[in-house]
Amino acid sequence: MNALDHTAHGHGASEGLPSALEQSHAYAHHGGRPARTEPPAVRIALTVIALAFIGLFIGLPLITVFYEALKRGWAAYVAALIEPDALAAIRLTLIVAAISVVANLIFGLVAAWAIAKFEFPGKSLLITLIDLPFSVSPVVAGLIYVLLFGAQGLFAAYLQAWDIKIIFALPGIVLATIFVTFPFVARELIPLMQEQGTSEEEAAISLGASGLSTFFRVTLPNVKWALLYGVLLCNARAMGEFGAVSVVSGHVRGLTNTMPLHIEILYNEYQFVASFAVASLLALLALVTLIAKTILEHRLAEEDR
Amino acid sequence: MTIDVVGVTKRFKTFTALDHVSLTIRSGELVALLGPSGSGKTTLLRIIAGLEWPDTGEVRFDGEDALSRSVRERNVGFVFQHYALFRHMNVFENVAFGLRVRRGADKLPEAAIRGKVNELLSLVQIDWLAERYPAQLSGGQRQRVALARALAISPRVLLLDEPFGALDAKVRKELRRWLRHLHEELPVTSVLVTHDQEEALELADRVVVMGHGRIEQVGSPAEVYDDPATAFVHDFIGETIALPGEVRGGALYFGAHALGLDPQGVADGPARILARPHDVDLADPGSTPFAGKVLAVRTFGPTRRADVELAGETGAVVVEAAVPHGQTLEPGTRVGLLPRRYKVFTSPRAT
């Protein structure tokens, strides 16, 4: 904590002080304009280019989504959202996201705890495996589950005997989503828990706290903002995942279509208003995530102080 | 409470942190485990606490086996090197922690917890900081919180790991005095780990000097300073002048020259004659056991040191001698060294 404290201060100083010094230095020698400041025209041009770029590639599509969704008026927008297939897709997305977030919350905490606080054989392998979903294409991830659990898959006979359906059903979608989102919580927690070390836990136990009590009173509060941050990113990805889910879902309307899949189908059927209406919900989710992320980053920075 | 450590050995992979260590800590005393880093002192403290388990050996609290109990059940107050305060709790909650996690019959009502915490905070003189968070405290204040937190569980033994290591010199000295004072008020058996000899000698009733996973000497601060049991202790504690020598036929020689000093029962072979700087007099070169050429004289603060080159058959040896106040010494002149009090040890190079 101390070390962080210092680096935080160090940053502030190194950003503020030298630039101020440089400026006064420059003023002294040039008698007016600071030497390292570009002419106003250049500054304005750069700002305009940057803003135009962001506007064109991020702002415009976002506006288009809402514009297209509301083009036929509010009634058509609402109608597209309360249509049974759309509601089914929203419900499925929420269920899948809820299950995968909870699963990855638990897995992330357990993995981060184990990696940060203990030494065990296979630790570096575990760290590498956690990063795997980041480096594997989601389509490949989906395909793996099809190969394992599909009709021609490795466990096909076994699954049929017990009448368990995984592929083209909810379990497959959940599995694919968990796979794709599982690094988020663990990756957020591991560096923080490693930096915090084990001495606070040792202190808690020496004061008579049980393992569980130590976890809930000391370990968890120390990582709560980072945990929330990880959950937030995990949730956003879980709701928006297309590739992996597309492979395992089977696109059964009203049954195995999540929101991104539903959007694609509507779009392919030229139902643009309906398609953009559902898309606007995902866009709203992105905006909410962004705001929450900003707030959490602020809290995390405060915790470090 | 009496603590008995019997034949404790602890290995980390190939490194032997503790090698058959036995030690008895008497009830109510303040003992310092003193040694350089890697000497095993922190490992011993953590084993007494129950944060580490020995490979072999026993630890007994008042005669009862302590190793069968976890750190939770040992009722020890542990003050960590970097305090390990709970960063998301304020000072009050940090101190209250040990009382709040109690279950069943031991659980105190809220009013009793508040009373006890406030009492402890005023004992360590930081009651005005109760609402602050650890990040808002100075090092010395954190130290006091850590101590109050450890005392809150009314520990049978207080274990302190380098308690003043992270503080600056002035605060360290102040807190050291205060801790000694506190120990007299609350006579709880205390074990302190430090690499700072000044700290150990000033604070402790008894000092345990450790090196390479073994106990070199146990004694009062005066004993370990004035009567070091081994060359390691002599070198480690206080300043040491090392004079070369060899024991032949029950007498001390430097080369062919008989020194006329007492070999103190050391067997034949290369020896080291160790003395405190203030126990070696400078005298006329003709009359003393050692004589040599002054190479340089340095002054720092009240002390002055002279590098004296002793010419022997096997080559020159440079020793650092103390120059008493009021005496002048010119580089290049010859001077005699007369150890008044000294200890003779076999030279480690011989074995």
Side-chain angles (χ1 to χ4, degrees):
Chain A
M1 187 178 61
N2 264 331
L4 257 176
D5 199 3
H6 287 306
T7 53
H9 280 289
H11 269 297
S14 64
E15 273 163 20
L17 202 68
S19 69
L21 278 176
E22 274 161 27
Q23 289 219 345
S24 63
H25 191 71
Y27 274 116
H29 282 272
H30 285 263
R33 210 155 43 79
R36 285 180 54 194
T37 302
E38 282 71 20
V42 175
R43 263 187 289 162
I44 291 166
L46 285 173
T47 314
V48 167
I49 289 170
L51 286 178
F53 194 86
I54 292 173
L56 196 64
F57 286 93
I58 295 166
L60 195 61
L62 202 60
I63 292 165
T64 308
V65 167
F66 288 99
Y67 173 78
E68 292 287 337
L70 295 164
K71 205 158 66 174
R72 298 276 152 77
W74 189 252
Y77 178 79
V78 176
L81 291 183
I82 58 169
E83 182 250 339
D85 286 351
L87 280 180
I90 294 170
R91 197 182 309 122
L92 181 64
T93 299
L94 290 178
I95 291 170
V96 169
I99 298 174
S100 12
V101 165
V102 169
N104 282 330
L105 173 76
I106 294 167
F107 166 78
L109 260 174
V110 169
W113 170 277
I115 287 168
K117 316 270 176 176
F118 302 106
E119 290 300 323
F120 55 91
K123 184 165 154 173
S124 53
L125 184 70
L126 181 59
I127 296 172
T128 312
L129 281 181
I130 286 173
D131 281 348
L132 188 68
F134 277 156
S135 49
V136 169
S137 159
V139 176
V140 176
L143 214 55
I144 294 168
Y145 287 105
V146 172
L147 292 176
L148 283 177
F149 303 117
Q152 269 74 46
L154 207 56
F155 303 122
Y158 187 76
L159 291 173
Q160 259 163 10
W162 290 86
D163 198 21
I164 300 169
K165 239 179 121 43
I166 290 180
I167 298 305
F168 306 150
L170 179 68
I173 299 172
V174 169
L175 280 177
T177 308
I178 288 177
F179 180 88
V180 171
T181 55
F182 95 25
F184 287 100
V185 174
R187 282 280 297 241
E188 207 54 54
L189 292 182
I190 289 167
L192 183 68
M193 285 172 112
Q194 274 176 334
E195 181 232 311
Q196 290 180 345
T198 52
S199 61
E200 280 181 55
E201 278 84 6
E202 283 184 346
I205 293 170
S206 81
L207 291 166
S210 65
L212 212 59
S213 182
T214 302
F215 179 77
F216 284 109
R217 284 168 184 266
V218 177
T219 310
L220 203 55
N222 276 352
V223 299
K224 62 174 183 261
W225 297 118
L227 187 68
L228 267 176
Y229 188 88
V231 162
L232 189 76
L233 295 181
C234 182
N235 180 58
R237 181 70 196 267
M239 289 191 174
E241 176 54 30
F242 181 85
V245 171
S246 175
V247 176
V248 296
S249 115
H251 305 267
V252 183
R253 220 180 256 232
L255 278 178
T256 64
N257 267 349
T258 60
M259 284 163 76
L261 301 184
H262 188 64
I263 293 166
E264 197 214 11
I265 288 175
L266 289 174
Y267 187 84
N268 288 343
E269 290 173 349
Y270 305 105
Q271 301 189 43
F272 295 127
V273 169
S275 163
F276 279 107
V278 181
S280 72
L281 286 185
L282 281 182
L284 273 177
L285 168 78
L287 290 176
V288 169
T289 304
L290 208 65
I291 293 165
K293 185 171 163 277
T294 313
I295 295 169
L296 280 177
E297 274 169 354
H298 186 69
R299 295 307 293 256
L300 271 169
E302 266 191 359
E303 288 280 289
D304 282 348
R305 232 176 286 143
Chain B
M1 188 187 65
T2 311
I3 303 168
D4 288 296
V5 175
V6 188
V8 161
T9 296
K10 175 74 182 176
R11 279 187 198 87
F12 295 104
K13 288 179 183 158
T14 55
F15 175 72
T16 304
L18 291 173
D19 188 4
H20 291 92
V21 165
S22 294
L23 175 68
T24 296
I25 295 160
R26 294 191 282 258
S27 189
E29 75 177 339
L30 200 168
V31 165
L33 305 180
L34 173 65
S37 53
S39 59
K41 55 192 191 305
T42 296
T43 306
L44 180 56
L45 191 78
R46 289 173 64 85
I47 285 175
I48 293 172
L51 293 168
E52 211 84 69
W53 257 260
D55 299 330
T56 57
E58 287 173 59
V59 177
R60 286 195 290 265
F61 287 1
D62 276 339
E64 282 172 46
D65 176 35
L67 292 180
S68 60
R69 282 182 284 165
S70 75
V71 56
R72 263 188 87 194
E73 301 153 335
R74 284 194 204 181
N75 196 17
V76 294
F78 200 100
V79 176
F80 290 82
Q81 187 174 3
H82 299 292
Y83 321 125
L85 298 180
F86 306 127
R87 65 191 80 197
H88 63 277
M89 295 181 202
N90 65 21
V91 167
F92 186 94
E93 288 304 319
N94 260 282
V95 177
F97 186 89
L99 303 172
R100 291 212 192 282
V101 296
R102 284 188 186 174
R103 288 283 164 268
D106 296 336
K107 197 161 172 59
L108 293 174
E110 180 65 21
I113 292 176
R114 298 211 147 259
K116 173 111 192 206
V117 172
N118 285 328
E119 189 186 309
L120 280 162
L121 288 177
S122 39
L123 177 75
V124 299
Q125 301 157 1
I126 47 165
D127 36 354
W128 51 288
L129 294 171
E131 299 301 317
R132 297 262 191 102
Y133 282 83
Q136 301 166 308
L137 302 177
S138 73
Q141 289 164 343
R142 286 179 200 180
Q143 178 61 62
R144 286 167 191 255
V145 178
L147 202 64
R149 184 179 68 176
L151 290 172
I153 58 169
S154 312
R156 300 207 288 165
V157 52
L158 188 60
L159 306 172
L160 306 108
D161 185 9
E162 299 272 4
F164 311 115
L167 303 172
D168 59 68
K170 194 169 169 289
V171 180
R172 190 184 302 191
K173 211 156 194 163
E174 201 180 286
L175 267 181
R176 200 194 288 162
R177 298 253 161 82
W178 170 79
L179 181 69
R180 179 71 229 181
H181 184 70
L182 194 75
H183 179 75
E184 265 138 40
E185 267 180 56
L186 308 164
V188 54
T189 310
S190 305
V191 185
L192 167 99
V193 156
T194 180
H195 64 271
D196 183 344
Q197 43 168 305
E198 200 185 316
E199 196 168 291
L201 298 182
E202 185 176 334
L203 255 173
D205 298 315
R206 284 197 306 154
V207 177
V208 178
V209 186
M210 298 186 65
H212 310 298
R214 293 163 191 267
I215 290 178
E216 297 277 339
Q217 187 175 6
V218 182
S220 70
E223 276 165 10
V224 295
Y225 183 81
D226 293 331
D227 193 15
T230 64
F232 177 88
V233 177
H234 205 301
D235 277 330
F236 186 68
I237 292 178
E239 283 189 87
T240 295
I241 290 182
L243 296 161
E246 194 184 348
V247 181
R248 284 200 299 266
L252 266 170
Y253 291 88
F254 178 49
H257 168 63
L259 293 172
L261 298 172
D262 176 14
Q264 300 173 352
V266 169
D268 282 11
R272 293 173 80 208
I273 303 156
L274 303 181
R276 299 295 176 206
H278 53 81
D279 286 333
V280 178
D281 287 343
L282 298 181
D284 181 47
S287 61
T288 56
F290 292 98
K293 195 171 83 172
V294 177
L295 295 179
V297 181
R298 277 164 288 126
T299 305
F300 37 99
T303 54
R304 279 195 298 163
R305 294 281 183 270
D307 286 340
V308 180
E309 186 184 63
L310 308 176
E313 271 109 71
T314 52
V317 182
V318 177
V319 300
E320 201 186 54
V323 183
H325 214 67
Q327 195 167 342
T328 52
L329 212 54
E330 290 302 318
T333 55
R334 278 183 70 76
V335 70
L337 299 178
L338 173 66
R340 273 182 291 114
R341 273 168 53 91
Y342 54 91
K343 300 275 285 185
V344 184
F345 298 100
T346 46
S347 172
R349 280 175 294 257
T351 50

